[in-house]
Amino acid sequence: MRILDNYEDISGQQINRHKSHFITSPCAFPATIRRVQDVTDFTNKESPLTYLGFPLYTGRKRIVHFNDLVDKVVDRIKGWKSKMMSYGGRETLIRYVMQYLPVHLLSAVSPPKSEEGGIAFRSIQDKCKSMEFKQWWLFRTKPSLWSNFLRAKYYQRSNPISKKWHSGQSQTWKRMTMNRKKAEDYIR
């Protein structure tokens, strides 16, 4: 808490303690959780939770981690049911509006493979794959703060095309390197 207090003093920003949370191990003693709550005035949350629209979880990804996204899509569609729309009108709305809702989320994480497309709709897996290719393409072709950071972090003295992924690297970098061969074929 001393570090957080120092941050507030130096930055002039205040931490909203009502919106702040902490996560503990499932094996943590209730007394320990209460003690942390008393000291920090934060609430205890359990995984999975959402931060800036992204699901935060440990272990393998499950469809339940993406329920917020599914709920958002269902809520939008419910409003359209009551309107007098043709099948083609609904298809157009879904294609051009609904498929762009999760772009921010899908650019960073890939949901499990149970998300499928349908007639005239791209599957979410295809959309994720195209975003992964785009990330690699932007990394390789556009100089930016993000690409400079990745170069400095992951391959200071080697070529990114030949560098192998190893543990300790981010999931985003792992996904990018898994797709780099196909992406490089498209770049050439």
Side-chain angles (χ1 to χ4, degrees), residues 66-106:
F66 296 85
N67 278 348
D68 288 344
L69 173 63
V70 173
D71 291 343
K72 195 182 290 186
V73 170
V74 168
D75 287 344
R76 287 273 176 105
I77 291 174
K78 279 182 186 175
W80 298 342
K81 275 186 176 179
S82 62
K83 296 183 178 161
M84 299 292 269
M85 255 190 253
S86 67
Y87 177 79
R90 287 184 186 162
E91 177 186 337
T92 302
L93 277 174
I94 291 170
R95 183 177 296 133
Y96 292 104
V97 176
M98 304 308 289
Q99 288 194 358
Y100 293 98
L101 269 179
V103 167
H104 177 65
L105 172 66
L106 298 178

Side-chain angles (χ1 to χ4, degrees), residues 25-92:
S25 165
C27 304
F29 294 114
T32 304
I33 294 171
R34 279 192 305 277
R35 192 167 161 211
V36 172
Q37 284 174 324
D38 291 341
V39 169
T40 62
D41 204 21
F42 297 166
T43 55
N44 183 29
K45 289 274 187 162
E46 293 183 13
S47 182
L49 56 97
T50 303
Y51 178 70
L52 297 176
F54 293 95
L56 301 178
Y57 56 89
T58 56
R60 66 184 181 89
K61 56 188 167 188
R62 297 185 176 145
I63 193 67
V64 71
H65 298 150
F66 296 85
N67 278 348
D68 288 344
L69 173 63
V70 173
D71 291 343
K72 195 182 290 186
V73 170
V74 168
D75 287 344
R76 287 273 176 105
I77 291 174
K78 279 182 186 175
W80 298 342
K81 275 186 176 179
S82 62
K83 296 183 178 161
M84 299 292 269
M85 255 190 253
S86 67
Y87 177 79
R90 287 184 186 162
E91 177 186 337
T92 302

Side-chain angles (χ1 to χ4, degrees), residues 97-161:
V97 176
M98 304 308 289
Q99 288 194 358
Y100 293 98
L101 269 179
V103 167
H104 177 65
L105 172 66
L106 298 178
S107 67
V109 293
S110 296
K113 293 187 179 184
S114 65
E115 305 273 328
E116 295 182 13
I119 299 172
F121 298 105
R122 291 173 51 195
S123 74
I124 289 181
Q125 290 306 120
D126 289 345
K127 192 163 191 146
C128 287
K129 188 63 72 177
S130 68
M131 288 184 198
E132 291 166 11
F133 287 156
K134 183 176 181 179
Q135 281 180 330
W136 183 261
W137 179 77
L138 289 172
F139 165 71
R140 290 279 285 131
T141 61
K142 305 270 188 212
S144 67
L145 181 62
W146 174 74
S147 61
N148 291 340
F149 170 78
L150 290 177
R151 282 185 184 87
K153 183 173 183 182
Y154 293 121
Y155 73 94
Q156 293 172 349
R157 295 183 227 25
S158 63
N159 188 327
I161 299 170

